[in-house]
Amino acid sequence: MGVNIGYVGIDHHHRDPYFAVASELDATITAVCEPGRRVDVDSITAMDERPDEVTTEGQNVTDLVAGAAVYENPHELVADNSIDVVWITYRSSETPAIIESAVENGVHVISEKPIARTAADLEDIAQQANDIGVTVAPTMYYRRNPIAMELRDKVQDGFFGDIWTVDGRFNASQLSNRNTDHYIYDRETSRGGALQWIGPHWVDIIPWILDDPITRVNAEFHEAAEADVEAGAVLQFETRSGTLGTYHTGYYLNDRGKDTHLGIYGTDAQALTALHHDSLQHEPTVPLEITSDNSDWTAAPTRTTEFEFSYDRFSEWGDFVQDYFEAYFEGYETGDVPATVDDAVQLLRVLDAAYESGEQGSWVEVVD
């Protein structure tokens, strides 16, 4: 028997690609909900005209939810005893309450990052989920990015020696290319803009690669003219082991796509990579350049591996995203998933500290 999915938040611009992900799984979307509105599943159309970064290229969305039950109340959806997993792409301000209802009903959760506005909104629910044994996971799919996985393995093997510093960048298209009327660009709903929405990917993946949590941050923000959230942010940070880092994220690009970079600088080796592009860049490969003082590398101390990403199963961002969701659905019953609710809480604690730092103009400790 496949997994029955209840999907909450179909007005979100990640809905179509996530419907496509579900169609490649041993799963069926058996219920849908846009809170406060009754959806006609026979008339859902692809979001190809949305001026965001994700399109469906004419995909027939109605086929993916044919026959699904329709709910206006997400709390009633998760009380449906036929639902195994609720998949949420909804307002960060309201998602924690939906997750709490899901946990109380024994329904597992996969939710769009960062799940909540602040860590305090999620901490008690996370504890309840852990106590009951209900899996709640954020969409931190770069944990299945093949370059990130290779770098994490090298860090754990001690390849880089002591890591002095890391440097990250994740920029995306300007707000003028986006539908800023959408609730994700509303401060009361989301708390922040670029750092809260696109920024979490690298805020999560950097300490995951290093296996070393961020313990304090110093942040500055660029406010946006088109919305009441920030257009971008620059962070300095320090990890538990003393690694220093910088991170630059924002809605800065003149065209759709991404501008990404990750640098790792250790006593014994350094690594430089874009880590990821997407199908919009039309680049054939993503390079990982490593320079090492290892004696085995003397004849060729600098080596570049070209990663040829595949887009057959998930054309928007790459098949590693499909791998992430496959790993979740393979492991949600046991809790063996790539990212947990505790990871989501830790991410939000770092974001909390960053926004507090921006207000105070000083370094802020990350709550442990």
Side-chain angles (χ1 to χ4, degrees):
M1 295 292 291
V3 181
N4 288 339
I5 297 172
Y7 197 99
V8 176
I10 71 162
D11 281 349
H12 194 284
H13 66 283
H14 282 182
R15 177 205 71 194
D16 290 350
Y18 288 166
F19 278 9
V21 166
S23 72
E24 296 292 327
L25 301 168
D26 184 18
T28 304
I29 298 174
T30 59
V32 297
C33 175
E34 178 60 31
R37 178 168 69 84
R38 185 165 186 82
V39 175
D40 181 358
V41 293
D42 294 325
S43 64
I44 298 175
T45 57
M47 294 182 177
D48 292 336
E49 300 304 317
R50 287 287 297 268
D52 298 306
E53 291 189 55
V54 179
T55 65
T56 59
E57 310 305 333
Q59 186 178 45
N60 191 341
V61 180
T62 57
D63 289 347
L64 303 180
V65 291
V70 177
Y71 289 86
E72 295 182 50
N73 187 327
H75 304 281
E76 293 179 2
L77 182 149
V78 297
D80 182 338
N81 59 17
S82 71
I83 300 298
D84 302 307
V85 172
V86 59
W87 194 327
I88 305 173
T89 51
Y90 195 55
R91 302 169 184 261
S92 295
S93 56
E94 298 182 37
T95 292
I98 300 170
I99 294 175
E100 185 173 26
S101 291
V103 170
E104 291 171 351
N105 283 279
V107 175
H108 303 279
V109 179
I110 180 79
S111 177
E112 185 67 32
K113 50 68 183 156
I115 294 185
R117 292 182 77 255
T118 70
D121 296 334
L122 189 61
E123 287 169 336
D124 290 346
I125 299 167
Q127 186 62 57
Q128 182 183 8
N130 289 334
D131 290 344
I132 295 174
V134 172
T135 298
V136 178
T139 54
M140 306 311 300
Y141 30 75
Y142 284 92
R143 293 187 178 208
R144 279 296 181 270
N145 176 288
I147 300 178
M149 294 169 72
E150 177 155 328
L151 289 172
R152 178 177 165 90
D153 288 344
K154 286 187 178 298
V155 169
Q156 293 181 338
D157 289 343
F159 178 83
F160 292 98
D162 293 331
I163 297 176
W164 285 321
T165 186
V166 294
D167 172 35
R169 184 176 72 248
F170 191 118
N171 293 326
S173 58
Q174 293 180 13
L175 288 171
S176 58
N177 294 319
R178 295 165 177 263
N179 178 13
T180 53
D181 291 333
H182 195 273
Y183 56 72
I184 68 171
Y185 304 105
D186 175 69
R187 186 179 297 273
E188 290 301 314
T189 299
S190 299
R191 192 261 296 271
L195 182 62
Q196 189 87 359
W197 179 242
I198 60 172
H201 287 303
W202 260 228
V203 175
D204 173 74
I205 204 62
I206 290 173
W208 182 80
I209 289 171
L210 301 181
D211 196 19
D212 190 14
I214 294 171
T215 56
R216 66 185 191 123
V217 297
N218 186 23
E220 293 282 350
F221 293 88
H222 296 142
E223 296 305 318
E226 302 91 339
D228 66 349
V229 295
E230 82 277 356
V234 177
L235 273 64
Q236 295 174 280
F237 60 86
E238 185 175 4
T239 69
R240 181 174 294 163
S241 69
T243 296
L244 300 178
T246 57
Y247 179 47
H248 178 186
T249 185
Y251 299 122
Y252 295 133
L253 306 185
N254 290 328
D255 199 1
R256 293 170 59 207
K258 294 182 177 67
D259 166 39
T260 59
H261 166 77
L262 179 65
I264 300 175
Y265 305 89
T267 55
D268 300 340
Q270 299 85 50
L272 299 174
T273 182
L275 195 62
H276 174 231
H277 54 59
D278 60 28
S279 58
L280 295 170
Q281 270 79 45
H282 304 292
E283 297 290 340
T285 61
V286 182
L288 169 61
E289 179 186 293
I290 294 180
T291 302
S292 174
D293 293 335
N294 190 301
S295 59
D296 294 338
W297 285 49
T298 303
T302 298
R303 305 177 184 182
T304 301
T305 304
E306 299 285 346
F307 285 73
E308 186 173 348
F309 281 48
S310 61
Y311 297 88
D312 297 331
R313 291 173 295 127
F314 193 74
S315 60
E316 300 298 343
W317 302 316
D319 287 344
F320 72 90
V321 177
Q322 187 77 32
D323 291 343
Y324 182 89
F325 289 105
E326 288 180 0
Y328 170 84
F329 280 96
E330 288 170 3
Y332 75 88
E333 291 178 298
T334 63
D336 183 16
V337 293
T340 68
V341 70
D342 293 331
D343 296 320
V345 169
Q346 180 61 25
L347 166 65
L348 284 164
R349 287 172 176 167
V350 177
L351 297 180
D352 289 347
Y355 284 104
E356 182 180 347
S357 171
E359 293 176 358
Q360 295 184 359
S362 61
W363 285 86
V364 172
E365 301 290 324
V366 176
V367 174
D368 190 357

